[in-house]
Amino acid sequence: MSGHSKWATIKRKKGALDAKRGKLFTKLIKEITVASRMGGGDPNGNPRLRKAVNDAKGQAMPADTIKRAIQRGTGEIEGANYEEILYEGTGPGGTLFLCEAMTDNRNRTVAEIRKIFEKNNGQLGAGGSAQWAFERKGIILIAKDAATEDQLMDIAVGAGADDYSDQGEEWQVLSSVEMMETVMKALEDAKIAVKSNTAGYVPKNKKEVAGRDAEVCLNLVDTLDDHDDVQNVYADFDVPDEELAKLEG
């Protein structure tokens, strides 16, 4: 899940993504391949590749698999030529969605993404139809027990982070994309373990949804996220705690 809000924990609790290790590996391999193609095959000189390799190792991906993905990206061995696409769409109640994908068949992927939106009371939109409602940010997630609020203020914000927030089971630290490496280094120096870090989209304002709309929004995120070509999904909806409790029950 990539929504980075309290409702994102539902997916993890259900285990729907982590149980599908094959799908997760596919997404990680695509990211390694594209990162290698764009910035070269040396992780030390390619921050995007370094992060992708670290994420893959964190999921116990075999070293040979990682090596082959890098070689496909650099052209040392043959492989699919993936392109990155940002899909934009709407969901129930005027909610907005961004969907980052990597595909070797643009026509197939757009048709499948459009169908997912339509089956969940949504619509795939044109470029710019949803992106205006989001900001591109560095997103850092930290386990709740790994840092105190005072530490985040002193260390993360002190190093250049824009803000931090309580997301239930974890802290979310936001920064400009350019400052993310600096903030990460400060946290590392302070021995504060980071669960994940990525450049992603954060909604400027959140729309509260409840009842059937909340259920459909969550299902839309899950279904998009499960698609083999989709790397990340972002949305601007928020589900109140009492609604989450009903859905989990």
Side-chain angles (χ1 to χ4, degrees), residues 8-84:
T9 60
I10 277 191
K11 182 86 178 233
R12 291 195 292 273
K13 286 177 179 175
K14 289 195 301 186
L17 181 60
D18 290 344
K20 298 178 181 176
R21 181 166 291 267
K23 283 184 179 290
L24 181 57
F25 271 23
T26 297
K27 296 184 181 191
L28 290 168
I29 288 168
K30 285 183 179 180
E31 174 62 17
I32 292 170
T33 301
V34 170
S36 301
R37 190 185 75 219
M38 295 180 66
D42 180 9
N44 293 321
N46 183 343
R48 179 173 174 177
L49 177 59
R50 182 167 64 250
K51 179 186 182 306
V53 169
N54 287 338
D55 289 347
K57 288 179 177 177
Q59 295 296 329
M61 182 180 288
D64 284 349
T65 303
I66 295 172
K67 181 181 179 181
R68 285 195 299 272
I70 292 173
Q71 289 175 327
R72 280 194 292 271
T74 58
E76 294 174 65
I77 60 176
E78 288 188 12
N81 186 21
Y82 299 113
E83 61 177 319
E84 295 182 284

Side-chain angles (χ1 to χ4, degrees), residues 139-157:
I139 304 168
I140 301 169
L141 298 181
I142 300 168
K144 206 60 169 297
D145 58 0
T148 65
E149 192 167 355
D150 286 342
Q151 284 178 308
L152 293 178
M153 175 62 74
D154 293 342
I155 297 164
V157 176

Side-chain angles (χ1 to χ4, degrees), residues 74-233:
T74 58
E76 294 174 65
I77 60 176
E78 288 188 12
N81 186 21
Y82 299 113
E83 61 177 319
E84 295 182 284
I85 304 173
L86 181 67
Y87 295 107
E88 305 178 44
T90 58
T95 52
L96 297 173
F97 292 76
L98 296 179
C99 182
E100 293 179 325
M102 292 183 186
T103 179
D104 59 354
N105 188 329
R106 178 187 286 259
N107 291 336
R108 182 204 70 228
T109 302
V110 72
E112 292 173 354
I113 297 298
R114 179 179 290 111
K115 187 177 293 185
I116 291 171
F117 272 102
E118 291 173 352
K119 284 185 175 180
N120 289 278
N121 299 341
Q123 184 174 359
L124 184 65
S129 60
Q131 192 174 355
W132 62 268
F134 297 80
E135 294 180 291
R136 188 74 170 167
K137 291 284 189 180
I139 304 168
I140 301 169
L141 298 181
I142 300 168
K144 206 60 169 297
D145 58 0
T148 65
E149 192 167 355
D150 286 342
Q151 284 178 308
L152 293 178
M153 175 62 74
D154 293 342
I155 297 164
V157 176
D162 296 334
D163 198 7
Y164 63 88
S165 59
D166 184 341
Q167 298 294 319
E169 294 182 355
E170 56 204 8
W171 297 107
Q172 175 181 271
V173 177
L174 299 179
S175 73
S176 66
V177 175
E178 295 75 19
M179 288 299 297
M180 185 167 61
E181 287 280 334
T182 302
V183 175
M184 286 284 296
K185 180 68 164 56
L187 292 168
E188 182 182 317
D189 290 345
K191 301 293 189 291
I192 295 175
V194 171
K195 290 177 65 176
S196 69
N197 67 289
T198 188
Y201 291 94
V202 177
K204 296 175 184 176
N205 297 290
K206 291 184 179 180
K207 300 183 180 78
E208 188 171 294
V209 292
R212 177 62 178 162
D213 281 354
E215 185 177 357
V216 174
C217 280
L218 288 167
N219 189 65
L220 177 52
V221 169
D222 282 354
T223 309
L224 287 169
D225 205 36
D226 278 342
H227 191 283
D228 284 345
D229 293 339
V230 172
Q231 297 296 104
N232 296 297
V233 181

